[in-house]
Amino acid sequence: MGKENEARHKVRLADIAEKLGVSIVTVSKAIADKEGVGEDLRTRIKAVAAQLGYEQKNRSVQAAKSGDCTGNIGVMIPSHFFERSTSFYWSMYNALSRELIKRGYYAIMEQLSSKDEFDLVLPQTVQNHKVDGVIMLGQTSEDYARFFIRHYKNNVFLDFYVDDMDCDSVTTDNFYGEYQLTRHLIDQGHRKILYVGNFNATTSITDRFMGYMKAMLENGLKAGLDDIINDRNQKGLYEPLQLPQELPSAFVCNCDETARRLVTLLREKGLSVPNDISVVGFDNFLADGQDSKPALTTIEVDPVSMARIAVDILVKKINGEPYTHGHTVISGKMLLRDSVRKI
């Protein structure tokens, strides 16, 4: 009898969903007798649940019965990412939305205003119990991130992280990606290489700069905070680029959008990329209509894999299932194109 009871406790909503080829949300609604599931399917789900020995003491079922299970996931994006004409985060949101649909959830986007971020206000979707969990897409202030972790547990940070034991986050491998790009420039004969990006703006830019630093220092080349050209302010809004009086032979940019702005500025100064100066980016993302010549050497980020893993972590948290806790890093791929010249 003891073994039978133990087996019952191990049965999860995910086991029932997998057996029937339906979503966890559908199973949860069926067992909780909520609307949105046909009677034939509800009967089949309950039959399989009984066959597997599923007990309704499961936390997800209790949530569904109390009306807390919505089938929605919030995707919160700081508003300053929408103040540009375009944003890498649109492509990330689309990847998340598609992945959530595969898992039986709907994405609800909410912008985090600068005021709410400063005042430490929870998202309206959370306050009004409209979502089962939240994916925070894009860097917030550290104060807000820690506040959010303390007051709302069903969360995952995407494309940034904070040094907190309770934080679950997913990012691309920013450090190694920028290290690879800088090493490539060095292998092509470049020795004076400057970095373009605001070191303190996001954890992604910080880690990318540190990858640049590692490649430079291990090759005996000068690199430090004095070798940074800012591209944005602390709120993440782009600012005009200021070229140094003594130009390097190459620039390492924190993203492709900044790299493209730099290429345009160099052209205005009568300089050619890569004939006069080489430029590399990061993300492999440019908005439609942006000049793509020369094609940028860059790191291709994998938004589909990042979205899939972030969604998987959050769904497991919601359903009380085991998952890998902490910071998950997804590898990118270096793309060698036309913006770098061998010296």
Side-chain angles (χ1 to χ4, degrees):
M1 180 66 70
K3 289 185 178 179
E4 181 180 347
N5 287 336
E6 183 180 353
R8 285 176 179 271
H9 284 292
K10 289 182 179 179
V11 178
R12 305 166 301 166
L13 291 177
D15 299 323
I16 303 168
E18 182 178 359
K19 191 171 183 66
L20 288 166
V22 298
S23 72
I24 294 174
V25 173
T26 299
V27 173
S28 177
K29 287 182 176 180
I31 292 176
D33 292 320
K34 296 190 71 175
E35 295 180 357
V37 183
E39 287 306 314
D40 289 344
L41 180 56
R42 187 190 308 277
T43 300
R44 288 169 52 208
I45 289 172
K46 287 186 174 182
V48 170
Q51 177 187 352
L52 295 177
Y54 180 78
E55 289 189 351
Q56 294 193 11
K57 292 180 181 179
N58 184 282
R59 187 177 72 177
S60 297
V61 176
Q62 290 179 330
K65 282 186 172 295
S66 66
D68 292 335
C69 182
T70 67
N72 300 321
I73 297 295
V75 179
M76 187 163 70
I77 308 176
S79 60
H80 62 78
F81 289 116
F82 291 95
E83 293 175 18
R84 307 174 191 171
S85 59
T86 184
S87 173
F88 168 75
Y89 292 105
W90 277 115
S91 64
M92 286 297 306
Y93 173 76
N94 288 333
L96 283 170
S97 181
R98 288 192 294 269
E99 191 62 35
L100 285 167
I101 288 174
K102 291 179 186 177
R103 301 295 294 267
Y105 288 90
Y106 294 101
I108 298 180
M109 181 192 290
E110 181 174 352
Q111 292 188 39
L112 173 64
S113 69
S114 298
K115 184 178 185 305
D116 284 351
E117 183 175 0
F118 180 80
D119 292 337
L120 303 182
V121 177
L122 286 173
Q124 291 299 312
T125 50
V126 171
Q127 293 185 48
N128 296 325
H129 308 289
K130 298 296 185 183
V131 294
D132 301 326
V134 171
I135 296 172
M136 184 81 73
L137 175 56
Q139 182 91 45
T140 69
S141 68
E142 187 167 321
D143 286 344
Y144 189 87
R146 294 183 185 281
F147 160 79
F148 193 71
I149 292 171
R150 288 196 307 272
H151 290 86
Y152 190 74
K153 297 302 181 184
N154 285 346
N155 67 76
V156 174
F157 294 165
L158 183 55
D159 202 44
F160 79 105
Y161 63 91
V162 294
D163 293 324
D164 192 299
M165 292 297 291
D166 292 329
C167 177
D168 290 308
S169 55
V170 179
T171 70
T172 193
D173 195 341
N174 295 296
F175 178 88
Y176 185 64
E178 206 76 291
Y179 171 82
Q180 283 184 296
L181 287 169
T182 308
R183 276 294 305 268
H184 174 63
L185 288 170
I186 294 170
D187 291 343
Q188 297 304 303
H190 296 274
R191 293 296 178 265
K192 185 170 177 55
I193 307 169
L194 297 185
Y195 193 79
V196 187
N198 187 322
F199 178 80
N200 293 312
T202 70
T203 54
S204 295
I205 297 177
T206 301
D207 288 349
R208 291 173 190 181
F209 175 75
M210 297 308 293
Y212 153 84
M213 282 277 289
K214 173 179 168 59
M216 294 290 284
L217 294 177
E218 72 180 14
N219 284 277
L221 301 177
K222 178 182 178 296
L225 293 176
D226 292 338
D227 299 302
I228 291 181
I229 298 171
N230 279 337
D231 68 331
R232 66 191 74 193
N233 60 27
Q234 293 299 104
K235 293 183 178 180
L237 299 179
Y238 283 139
E239 294 185 335
L241 298 171
Q242 301 293 330
L243 294 176
Q245 287 188 345
E246 183 180 347
L247 291 173
S249 66
F251 288 99
V252 175
C253 298
N254 74 90
C255 68
D256 285 357
E257 288 188 68
T258 289
R260 182 54 53 202
R261 292 172 59 219
L262 177 62
V263 170
T264 299
L265 178 60
L266 291 171
R267 283 177 180 165
E268 292 172 354
K269 301 292 185 182
L271 298 168
S272 171
V273 175
N275 294 329
D276 298 314
I277 296 178
S278 295
V279 175
V280 298
F282 203 109
D283 291 333
N284 193 34
F285 175 84
L286 285 174
D288 293 339
Q290 280 189 295
D291 183 8
S292 60
K293 295 180 180 179
L296 289 170
T297 290
T298 189
I299 294 292
E300 182 178 40
V301 172
D302 187 351
V304 175
S305 293
M306 292 173 68
R308 183 176 65 249
I309 291 173
V311 169
D312 186 63
I313 289 172
L314 185 56
V315 170
K316 287 178 177 176
K317 289 179 76 168
I318 291 169
N319 289 287
E321 300 175 24
Y323 70 96
T324 302
H325 176 66
H327 184 197
T328 303
V329 177
I330 310 300
S331 297
K333 177 183 178 182
M334 185 162 68
L335 302 178
L336 302 180
R337 292 177 175 150
D338 303 330
S339 62
V340 174
R341 178 177 72 92
K342 185 179 179 66
I343 296 180

